[in-house]
Amino acid sequence: MAKWGMVIDLDKCTGCQACTTACAMENNTLPGESWQDVLYYNEGEYPSAQMKWLPRPCMQCEDPSCVHVCPTRATYKDPDAGGIVFVDWNKCIGCKYCMIACPYGVRFYADEQPLIEPDMRDVYPGENGQMWSPPYQNPEQDWRRGIGIQPKGVVSKCTFCYHKVSKAPEGVPDLDEDDPELVEYVPACVRTCPPKARYFGDLDNPESNVNRIIGDKHGVRLLDHTGNRPQVYYLGAGAGVPAFSPRNS
Amino acid sequence: MSDNNVMKGGLGTGLLILSAAVMVATFGYVIFQLNTVGHAAFNVSSKLPWGQPISTYLYFALASSGLGLIASLPLVFGFKQYYGIAKRAIFLAFIILISGMAVLALELGHTFRMLWAIPFNMQIQSAMFWMGVFYAADLLFLLWKFQKMEAGDWDSKNTKIIGIASFLGVLLASGNLALIFGMMSMRPFWFDGSLPIYFYLTAVTSGMAALVFFSYLAYGFDRSKMPQKLQNALNNGLPKLFAAVLGLTILFVAVRAITGLYTNNPEVYHVWADYLFASPVYILSLLLGLLVPFALMMSRNLRVNPQVQVLVSVLTFGGLFAERYFFVVGGQVIPLFQGTWAWNMIQYTPSATEWALTIMGSAMIFTLYVLGEKFFNLSAVPEQLEEAAEAEAKATA
């Protein structure tokens, strides 16, 4: 079975947020519930200040702390699904401990104060147990894997677009959007990336392009000291975690 | 047996009606908010998921554990001078834990799902799974021990075994509760292997404050009306113990603060420098909630004074509530990533619904407490000890 991994080349990424938009549209997430986001930050001070950005999906860690802390096994890593970490919305009790334990801040509890007004949950009230029901919805739904629009009181997260990836032919080393036969199975953020800064493939397959570029270009993982060992690798300058510096503004 | 307990009379009934009314009103408000607004009625967010309801639960759970540990002094370790406080301590531990669990239940996204999802999935890697196991065991042993005391069985072999089991249950429950926070390497403000010790200490301190306050409340804040054994405890050993645990709590806070202010780690340093010590409420809680009570209890004359004891217990109760709040929120105020939406520290102030939950839990404690005082003799001691105490009182009179 494949072990799906993603590579994000920061030298190519332009911070255009197309991935963020594609993810939100594909998965019908609420404003603020950014399963995939690009974080902008400054580094250094004038005259050598730089503006930087960091695209940040769920890392689908190999040893995920969110899975260890969940008291109900609602969040679990599925080796048969390429090692993707899912949330079973039928089991989640909404204790939010996984959100505390995730070093990457990529888990969301959407039953909270709206980020923008009007509140989309009021504009499109939820039907069929969903928290909200926008006019267009992705027809794919699997609550045991946290796919679809979540109900109230549960935690949601990126699924590496498992509803697409799971339909790929078995044994393919990479899901490349340039391959017409595979393009439909590529995760939305990878498929939409204009500068092709994202790659998606099987980390267990020595033939895969993701393995090759991680090796050739020295791919790194974020916050490796927490022991989570992400299945998302970063390439290029600036592949690090922006340091916190409080501002008085 | 003393019949000076004012909770058994009209005063108790008045307090019962008042606290029950507050409990029902706040519960109704919280339920209404949860049904209409949902958890958006809380001011927590995906960036700061645990707010005041969690800190309230933590406060109550640890106060309960503290009371359990205090009760184990006579019941497990044989300090007979503390027999007069044991039954009330056990009862308070039980009702405070129940109240804490009620607050936690309303904070969860799915309260009832928890009842089957936790036991049926057996996720033994999760500290929160063990929190459920240990606190359920704690609750069971407290009830069992209380039932034994109520039946007049204080010293049989079985009672002693239950006492020891309960003591171990309390240690495991509160120690494990500490590790829920202490094992989070990604939250450096909490990441601390010595956290269980800190929790034991502060648990006993808040438990002591509860015990002293509620003991006085039962007798209209008049120590001369208390049974002899209870008076003895409040006159001799207990105030010294209170002073000691207050001192150790201050020491532990100081050690954590000094380490935190010395470190370069921004996730620890900024919490201490720019969140905790930048907050007048936190500084006030340290001064009025811990340092002033400690200073008062260090004075040989003042620490036995009933008014001072009540004042110290109220101040400590408030001080440790703030301590728990700042501990829980402080671990989350530094965003995991600096970037979009999170340039600065994450702001959080509890909403009206979250305050209502805290008030509901507190009102529940008062309601159950008055019922306990009305229906049980919480100052009871083993019969032979009671006779000995009466004889001693007569001899000294």
Side-chain angles (χ1 to χ4, degrees):
Chain A
M1 188 64 215
K3 183 167 85 179
W4 294 121
M6 189 182 286
V7 174
I8 302 174
D9 190 338
L10 295 171
D11 285 345
K12 286 185 175 177
C13 173
T14 61
C16 70
Q17 289 278 28
C19 48
T20 306
T21 311
C23 173
M25 293 178 73
E26 179 73 27
N27 296 294
N28 305 114
T29 56
L30 283 160
E33 186 195 0
S34 300
W35 292 2
Q36 146 64 50
D37 200 355
V38 179
L39 307 175
Y40 295 91
Y41 60 101
N42 297 327
E43 219 166 64
E45 286 174 17
Y46 178 84
S48 53
Q50 282 184 303
M51 186 180 179
K52 290 194 169 189
W53 50 89
L54 182 79
R56 184 195 56 170
C58 169
M59 304 288 149
Q60 317 293 351
C61 306
E62 290 184 28
D63 196 5
S65 47
C66 56
V67 169
H68 297 312
V69 302
C70 175
T72 66
R73 290 186 202 266
T75 194
Y76 62 103
K77 186 171 176 69
D78 190 347
D80 296 330
I84 297 174
V85 177
F86 295 113
V87 183
D88 184 339
W89 286 337
N90 298 315
K91 278 188 188 176
C92 178
I93 59 170
C95 69
K96 301 172 277 283
Y97 195 15
C98 57
M99 295 165 69
I100 293 285
C102 171
Y104 305 100
V106 287
R107 292 179 155 258
F108 301 88
Y109 189 76
D111 193 1
E112 61 183 33
Q113 296 202 343
L115 186 70
I116 56 162
E117 295 286 356
D119 187 346
M120 288 297 123
R121 294 164 300 184
D122 293 338
V123 178
Y124 302 112
E127 291 162 4
N128 305 320
Q130 296 180 163
M131 179 167 282
W132 71 310
S133 297
Y136 168 75
Q137 289 177 45
N138 191 327
E140 302 281 354
Q141 214 182 62
D142 181 359
W143 281 18
R144 286 175 304 115
R145 290 196 166 91
I147 294 168
I149 299 180
Q150 72 272 36
K152 279 189 172 187
V154 298
V155 170
S156 65
K157 67 179 281 295
C158 154
T159 63
F160 260 3
C161 283
Y162 181 70
H163 55 282
K164 291 156 82 71
V165 171
S166 58
K167 290 169 187 153
E170 195 139 335
V172 288
D174 291 286
L175 293 180
D176 188 342
E177 67 274 20
D178 290 339
D179 184 338
E181 293 196 1
L182 297 175
V183 64
E184 283 304 317
Y185 315 123
V186 179
C189 59
V190 180
R191 182 175 173 181
T192 204
C193 180
K196 199 174 169 63
R198 289 186 183 227
Y199 305 86
F200 193 83
D202 181 359
L203 293 172
D204 272 353
N205 190 330
E207 303 297 315
S208 71
N209 189 37
V210 289
N211 267 330
R212 189 183 59 75
I213 55 178
I214 289 167
D216 287 356
K217 294 189 169 182
H218 310 292
V220 297
R221 304 184 288 202
L222 288 188
L223 299 173
D224 242 357
H225 69 276
T226 62
N228 279 29
R229 291 188 285 132
Q231 285 175 210
V232 173
Y233 288 76
Y234 289 88
L235 308 177
V241 183
F244 177 78
S245 56
R247 295 172 176 218
N248 297 323
S249 59
Chain B
M1 183 176 145
S2 167
D3 52 3
N4 295 327
N5 191 326
V6 295
M7 290 295 117
K8 291 193 193 301
L11 219 57
T13 309
L15 182 59
L16 178 67
I17 293 168
L18 179 70
S19 53
V22 172
M23 181 178 77
V24 170
T26 45
F27 177 74
Y29 177 68
V30 171
I31 290 292
F32 174 77
Q33 287 291 91
L34 288 177
N35 280 332
T36 52
V37 186
H39 277 80
F42 294 1
N43 278 352
V44 286
S45 67
S46 289
K47 301 224 172 340
L48 195 149
W50 283 355
Q52 183 161 305
I54 293 291
S55 72
T56 303
Y57 161 71
L58 186 65
Y59 178 60
F60 286 168
L62 287 177
S64 163
S65 295
L67 284 156
L69 292 174
I70 294 166
S72 67
L73 286 175
L75 301 176
V76 177
F77 297 103
F79 290 94
K80 293 196 170 157
Q81 64 269 39
Y82 295 123
Y83 260 122
I85 53 140
K87 197 172 171 188
R88 184 170 281 106
I90 295 290
F91 182 77
L92 282 169
F94 183 77
I95 62 166
I96 292 178
L97 187 53
I98 292 272
S99 306
M101 286 174 167
V103 173
L104 180 66
L106 290 166
E107 196 272 345
L108 294 176
H110 285 279
T111 306
F112 296 107
R113 183 177 290 175
M114 162 183 76
L115 301 175
W116 63 262
I118 294 180
F120 286 166
N121 287 288
M122 290 300 287
Q123 174 51 307
I124 57 168
Q125 280 185 21
S126 167
M128 200 174 267
F129 168 84
W130 291 108
M131 182 182 84
V133 171
F134 293 142
Y135 268 114
D138 184 16
L139 212 54
L140 183 77
F141 285 127
L142 284 172
L143 195 63
W144 199 353
K145 208 155 69 167
F146 188 78
Q147 179 262 325
K148 285 278 184 193
M149 289 169 155
E150 192 56 19
D153 175 5
W154 290 67
D155 276 326
S156 73
K157 199 177 163 191
N158 276 347
T159 306
K160 282 196 171 144
I161 291 171
I162 294 165
I164 292 167
S166 177
F167 173 66
L168 292 176
V170 169
L171 281 184
L172 289 170
S174 47
N176 174 74
L177 189 57
L179 293 179
I180 282 189
F181 298 92
M183 292 193 294
M184 296 294 103
S185 65
M186 60 298 294
R187 304 279 183 177
F189 178 71
W190 292 335
F191 187 47
D192 184 349
S194 64
L195 221 50
I197 312 294
Y198 173 60
F199 271 31
Y200 292 146
L201 274 175
T202 49
V204 174
T205 312
S206 56
M208 184 73 83
L211 181 64
V212 171
F213 176 79
F214 283 109
S215 298
Y216 274 103
L217 181 63
Y219 295 95
F221 299 101
D222 185 348
R223 191 156 72 201
S224 64
K225 289 181 178 166
M226 293 178 180
Q228 198 58 44
K229 271 276 160 192
L230 183 56
Q231 283 194 43
N232 289 350
L234 288 169
N235 251 327
N236 297 310
L238 222 51
K240 286 182 197 161
L241 196 60
F242 204 167
V245 289
L246 274 168
L248 288 169
T249 299
I250 292 167
L251 183 70
F252 219 110
V253 171
V255 167
R256 269 178 65 81
I258 291 165
T259 320
L261 290 169
Y262 184 77
T263 180
N264 280 345
N265 186 335
E267 288 148 306
V268 182
Y269 171 78
H270 286 300
V271 178
W272 281 104
D274 300 329
Y275 179 65
L276 298 179
F277 286 129
S279 160
V281 180
Y282 182 72
I283 292 172
L284 211 63
S285 76
L286 283 185
L287 291 175
L288 282 182
L290 289 174
L291 284 168
V292 169
F294 178 61
L296 290 172
M297 293 309 263
M298 281 304 283
S299 155
R300 194 176 293 184
N301 294 327
L302 289 178
R303 72 167 161 247
V304 291
N305 180 306
Q307 281 85 21
V308 170
Q309 289 184 351
V310 173
L311 176 71
V312 162
S313 62
V314 171
L315 288 177
T316 307
F317 223 51
L320 282 174
F321 180 79
E323 183 64 28
R324 301 277 183 251
Y325 172 86
F326 282 101
F327 175 81
V328 169
V329 177
Q332 305 165 73
V333 286
I334 306 294
L336 289 166
F337 284 84
Q338 181 168 351
T340 319
W341 312 118
W343 283 112
N344 216 326
M345 281 195 189
I346 300 167
Q347 300 295 310
Y348 168 73
T349 318
S351 68
T353 310
E354 288 169 294
W355 272 111
L357 260 179
T358 301
I359 296 167
M360 184 202 83
S362 312
M364 192 170 169
I365 292 172
F366 275 91
T367 308
L368 294 172
Y369 169 71
V370 181
L371 288 173
E373 291 286 0
K374 278 192 179 296
F375 290 105
F376 308 107
N377 175 17
L378 298 183
S379 295
V381 290
E383 256 175 44
Q384 67 275 22
L385 276 176
E386 197 166 11
E387 285 161 12
E390 275 169 18
E392 194 184 325
K394 271 181 201 161
T396 51

